[in-house]
């Protein structure tokens, strides 16, 4: 959630490092040391190992990357991963936007209930939720039978891309609702009143006032969902089929089945680069929006 | 006319949100009735009832062992991540220094970087260092994932309180450590407690890293569930899921309610 806070917050001016007393510097180092050691040992080093193996395993060179980007099957998997992530994001947006709006519009008690209903599933086990979807979506399971009851026979939900999208969007919805709510709750509702008193119909004031003001939340939330979808492993592995696997499943297969570390590294590298490219775009657009807002505020006061 | 349409819209919105809430909460709850089925299948809804899958769970050392490992690792992770994360949050909020943004970014990075990529690299590292399937390996791996979930609430509570209280303590002659012990820590306790609970839940629920760094001798509960789901249809999995659900829900609810109540008092 805090990444979201960091993302939705307007940028802070860079902090100039003042010269601190030596004792203060050592104290700070002592406070930071445990986390930094953990992060380097268990996070930075493993990523570095994968990076090195990408270019050295089994032979030094670019062969893993050229293989990965040249192989038609792998390219299809990559495209499928991105389209699946896009579909999941669309579903979350469709369901999450009205929900976040209701959280803002509701009274304090109802808002607390609505918040809890988003947060508790966010923390209840990913494994449990995926298992529950396995049960619900299985062949001859409750959902398939219900669909057959209304005339949709023989729909395969589990071991299909549809099943993966259903499960992933349910699990990732809180990632969209929370930043969206954070942004919407800062919107001055008097602006909507003002627009309607100037003669705008509710639909007009929604599209011309509310929606543009909530855009930063839409951006932050949907990209959080998109990024998380790209690297999801458990849910696609259990609800999807090997024939329409995603990149994360391919990474698993390369390492545990085929011992192709270099190839797994190349996949991981592409996944990482994509993730950070998307994040950078998001950061830039937020920064630009924040700057525009301050400029508008300055114009209004001057 | 508009009044009526506004009311209709509100009704539509309320119904829509009720459905979304149902969609968020209801699916996980189906593991509870399934864990009480009398047939060795995943047929849902069950047609008869029994508690034998819980008996199965507690009689099978591979399940109870996994539960014990999960609880042990989770508690240790809560301890390590809370201590390291609280110290980091203090350093990040209480002083300004070069590289502050870089440290903040590094601490939050495990939330963004796809876990599968880190997990594969960690597997390579642990393979060499012979840490696969060790409690130490699990604890350090999960602590890194849990770190942001401690740093965030503790930072929030550190930013939320009146720093003049610390100054007052210093003026009254308290040294740094006793100021921290007697003034700062009690005031940020809600953040620390919820951070510890979130750290426990993060570890208790983690599958992807655990899948790579497990060994036949040390398996956590979600990994045991994962491999059972892929292998056979055994409602013992549903019993395990119900236990995980109960554990995590209690921990999360405690954390959330605790923060909410503290906020109201202030």
């Amino acid at each position: 959630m805090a990444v979201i806070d960091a993302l939705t917050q307007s940028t802070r001016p860079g902090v100039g490092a003042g010269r601190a007393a030596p004792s203060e510097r050592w104290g700070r180092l002592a406070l930071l040391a445990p986390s930094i050691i953990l992060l380097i040992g268990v996070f930075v080093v493993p990523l570095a190992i994968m990076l090195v193996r990408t270019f050295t395993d089994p032979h030094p060179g670019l062969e893993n990357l050229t293989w990965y980007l040249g192989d038609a099957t792998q390219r299809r998997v990559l495209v499928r991963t991105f389209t699946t992530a896009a579909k999941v994001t669309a579903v979350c947006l469709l369901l999450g936007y009205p929900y976040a709006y209701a959280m803002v519009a509701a009274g304090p008690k109802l808002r607390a209930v609505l918040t809890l209903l988003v947060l508790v599933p966010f923390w209840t086990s990913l494994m449990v939720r995926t298992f529950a979807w396995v049960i619900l979506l299985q062949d001859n399971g409750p959902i398939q039978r219900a669909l057959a009851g209304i005339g949709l026979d023989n729909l395969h939900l589990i071991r299909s891309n549809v099943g993966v999208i259903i499960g992933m969007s349910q699990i990732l919805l809180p990632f969209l609702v929370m930043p969206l709510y954070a942004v919407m709750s800062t919107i001055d509702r008097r602006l909507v009143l003002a627009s309607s008193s100037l003669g705008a119909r509710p639909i007009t004031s929604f599209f011309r006032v509310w929606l543009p003001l909530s855009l930063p939340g839409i951006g932050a939330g949907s990209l959080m969902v998109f990024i998380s979808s790209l690297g999801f492993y458990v849910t696609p592995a259990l609800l999807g089929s090997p024939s329409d696997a995603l990149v994360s499943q391919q990474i698993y297969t390369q390492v545990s089945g085929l011992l192709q570390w270099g190839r797994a590294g190349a996949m991981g590298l592409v996944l990482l680069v994509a993730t950070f490219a998307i994040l950078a775009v998001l950061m830039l657009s937020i920064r630009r929006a924040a700057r525009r807002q301050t400029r508008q505020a300055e114009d209004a006061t001057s | 006319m508009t009044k009526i349409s506004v009311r209709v819209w509100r009704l539509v919105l309320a119904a829509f949100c009720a459905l979304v809430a149902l969609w968020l909460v209801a699916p996980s709850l189906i593991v509870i009735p399934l864990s009480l089925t009398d047939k060795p299948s995943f047929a849902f809804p069950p047609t008869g009832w029994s508690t034998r899958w819980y008996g199965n769970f507690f009689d099978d050392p591979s399940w109870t062992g996994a539960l014990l490992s999960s609880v042990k690792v989770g508690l240790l992770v809560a301890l390590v991540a809370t201590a390291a994360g609280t110290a980091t949050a203090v350093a990040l909020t209480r002083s300004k220094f070069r590289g502050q943004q870089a440290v903040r970014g590094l601490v939050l990075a495990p939330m963004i970087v796809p876990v599968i990529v880190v997990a594969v690299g960690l597997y390579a590292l642990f393979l060499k260092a012979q840490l696969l399937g060790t409690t130490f390996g699990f604890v350090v791996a999960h602590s890194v994932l849990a770190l942001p979930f401690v740093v965030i609430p503790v930072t929030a509570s550190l930013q939320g309180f009146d720093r003049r209280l610390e100054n007052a303590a210093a003026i009254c002659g308290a040294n740094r450590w006793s100021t921290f012990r007697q003034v700062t820590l009690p005031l940020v306790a809600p953040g620390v407690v919820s951070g510890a609970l979130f750290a426990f839940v993060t570890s208790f629920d983690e599958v992807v890293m655990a899948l790579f760094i497990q060994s036949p001798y040390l398996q956590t509960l979600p990994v045991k569930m994962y491999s059972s789901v892929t292998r056979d249809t055994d409602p013992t999995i549903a019993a395990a899921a119900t236990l995980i659900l109960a554990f995590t829900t209690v921990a999360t609810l405690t954390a959330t309610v605790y923060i909410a109540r503290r906020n109201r008092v202030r």
Side-chain angles (χ1 to χ4, degrees):
Chain A
M1 289 288 108
V3 178
I4 295 152
D5 289 347
L7 293 177
T8 49
Q9 245 169 33
S10 56
T11 50
R12 251 181 246 126
V15 177
R19 276 252 162 263
S23 74
E24 197 185 320
R25 242 181 297 156
W26 284 113
R28 188 165 56 226
L29 204 62
L31 286 175
L32 290 175
S35 297
I36 303 233
I37 291 170
L38 268 176
L39 280 159
I40 289 178
V42 192
F43 184 72
V44 177
V45 170
L47 287 178
I49 291 178
M50 286 322 285
L51 193 66
V52 170
R53 292 207 174 168
T54 305
F55 298 104
T56 58
D57 189 286
H59 312 290
L62 294 173
E63 61 175 305
N64 289 312
L65 272 176
T66 48
W67 165 79
Y68 185 44
L69 298 172
D71 190 274
T73 319
Q74 294 302 334
R75 229 177 8 239
R76 259 205 308 281
V77 172
L78 202 59
V79 170
R80 188 186 299 127
T81 306
F82 276 86
T83 45
T84 304
K87 285 176 191 164
V88 169
T89 312
V91 172
C92 284
L93 207 53
L94 229 55
L95 298 177
Y97 195 90
Y99 193 90
Y101 178 79
M103 279 169 77
V104 179
K109 258 201 194 124
L110 186 58
R111 181 179 308 144
V113 172
L114 288 173
T115 311
L116 212 62
L117 285 172
V118 177
L119 279 187
V120 171
F122 176 71
W123 284 105
T124 43
S125 174
L126 175 82
M127 191 55 230
V128 172
R129 292 212 268 164
T130 305
F131 174 63
W133 281 114
V134 170
I135 305 304
L136 285 170
L137 298 174
Q138 66 186 321
D139 289 333
N140 215 7
I143 293 185
Q144 204 196 39
R145 262 180 290 143
L147 287 176
I150 57 169
L152 296 163
D153 282 325
N154 286 327
L155 270 177
H156 280 288
L157 298 164
I158 199 163
R159 287 184 295 283
S160 77
N161 204 238
V162 179
V164 173
I165 290 168
I166 294 175
M168 271 168 71
S169 43
Q170 191 240 7
I171 288 165
L172 292 174
L173 187 61
F175 282 103
L176 193 120
V177 171
M178 292 323 287
L180 203 49
Y181 166 74
V183 168
M184 280 186 185
S185 61
T186 62
I187 297 177
D188 190 343
R189 303 190 56 136
R190 286 171 304 179
L191 292 171
V192 179
L193 288 179
S195 76
S196 65
S197 75
L198 289 172
R201 287 182 310 155
I203 292 195
T204 316
S205 44
F206 175 78
F207 279 107
R208 305 271 308 262
V209 180
W210 186 266
L211 191 64
L213 286 171
S214 65
L215 269 181
I218 294 181
S222 37
L223 282 165
M224 264 319 274
V225 171
F226 191 84
I227 286 174
S228 313
S229 311
L230 287 182
F232 237 55
Y233 176 69
V234 174
T235 311
L238 289 180
L239 295 177
S241 78
S243 64
D244 48 27
L246 304 182
V247 172
S248 53
Q249 288 156 272
Q250 294 285 322
I251 294 179
Y252 186 89
T253 320
Q254 290 297 332
V255 169
S256 76
L258 309 169
L259 293 177
Q260 291 278 4
W261 291 90
R263 291 183 170 183
M267 293 173 175
L269 186 64
V270 170
L271 203 58
L272 269 184
V273 169
T275 305
F276 277 103
I278 292 164
L279 201 66
V281 170
L282 169 71
M283 290 291 212
L284 276 181
S285 59
I286 287 171
R287 208 163 286 187
R288 196 168 302 157
R291 215 176 300 147
R292 200 170 45 228
Q293 257 171 14
T294 34
R295 210 177 312 131
Q296 277 167 359
E298 277 161 9
D299 289 349
T301 48
S302 62
Chain B
M1 165 70 199
T2 40
K3 228 176 198 168
I4 294 172
S5 74
V6 165
R7 200 172 297 164
V8 169
W9 268 113
R10 289 187 75 116
L11 222 67
V12 171
L13 184 65
F16 184 83
C17 290
L19 281 178
V20 172
L22 190 75
W23 187 64
L24 275 170
V25 176
S28 352
L29 296 178
I30 67 144
V31 301
I32 301 171
L34 185 67
S35 71
L36 296 168
T37 183
D38 64 343
K39 286 189 192 64
S41 79
F42 285 159
F44 192 87
T47 42
W49 308 99
S50 94
T51 56
R52 69 173 154 134
W53 305 109
Y54 287 90
N56 231 9
F57 180 91
F58 286 105
D59 286 339
D60 183 344
S62 73
W63 281 107
T64 49
L67 175 65
L68 271 180
S69 307
S70 274
V71 171
K72 188 169 74 179
V73 170
L75 289 176
L76 287 170
V77 167
L79 205 70
V80 171
T82 309
T86 305
T88 305
V90 170
L92 284 177
T93 44
R94 282 295 180 265
S95 58
K96 289 175 176 169
F97 55 95
R98 212 187 299 265
Q100 190 160 17
Q101 290 299 340
V103 173
R104 198 190 304 273
L106 185 63
V107 170
L108 297 183
M111 294 177 76
I112 298 270
V113 172
V115 183
I116 182 98
V117 182
V118 187
V120 172
L122 201 61
Y123 176 54
L125 178 69
F126 279 11
L127 205 60
K128 252 188 205 142
Q130 297 192 314
L131 284 172
L132 290 178
T134 59
T135 308
F136 176 82
F138 268 95
V139 172
V140 288
H142 283 173
S143 292
V144 163
L145 293 181
L147 216 48
F149 296 106
V150 178
V151 175
I152 291 150
V154 177
T155 306
S157 17
L158 277 170
Q159 281 167 343
F161 83 81
D162 193 341
R163 288 200 60 182
R164 283 172 302 180
L165 291 171
E166 283 180 344
N167 296 340
I171 290 167
C172 290
N175 63 25
R176 274 223 194 137
W177 171 244
S178 47
T179 309
F180 179 75
R181 262 281 302 120
Q182 294 175 21
V183 179
T184 314
L185 201 56
L187 281 169
V188 298
V192 177
V193 170
S194 55
L197 285 166
F198 288 145
F200 177 82
V201 173
T202 302
S203 161
F204 198 75
D205 186 29
E206 208 283 326
V207 202
V208 179
M209 265 195 184
L211 215 51
F212 280 93
I213 61 174
Q214 60 155 339
S215 76
Y217 306 103
L218 184 62
Q219 232 181 15
T220 51
L221 196 50
V223 173
K224 170 80 180 148
M225 262 187 83
Y226 181 88
S227 35
S228 304
V229 173
T230 51
R231 244 191 344 251
D232 40 31
T233 47
D234 173 7
T236 313
I237 303 167
T242 307
L243 291 173
I244 295 182
L245 198 64
F247 254 104
T248 48
T249 306
V250 168
T252 323
L253 272 180
T254 316
T256 321
V257 170
Y258 193 69
I259 297 173
R261 186 165 314 153
R262 275 298 185 120
N263 285 345
R264 212 172 305 139
V265 171
R266 232 183 296 119

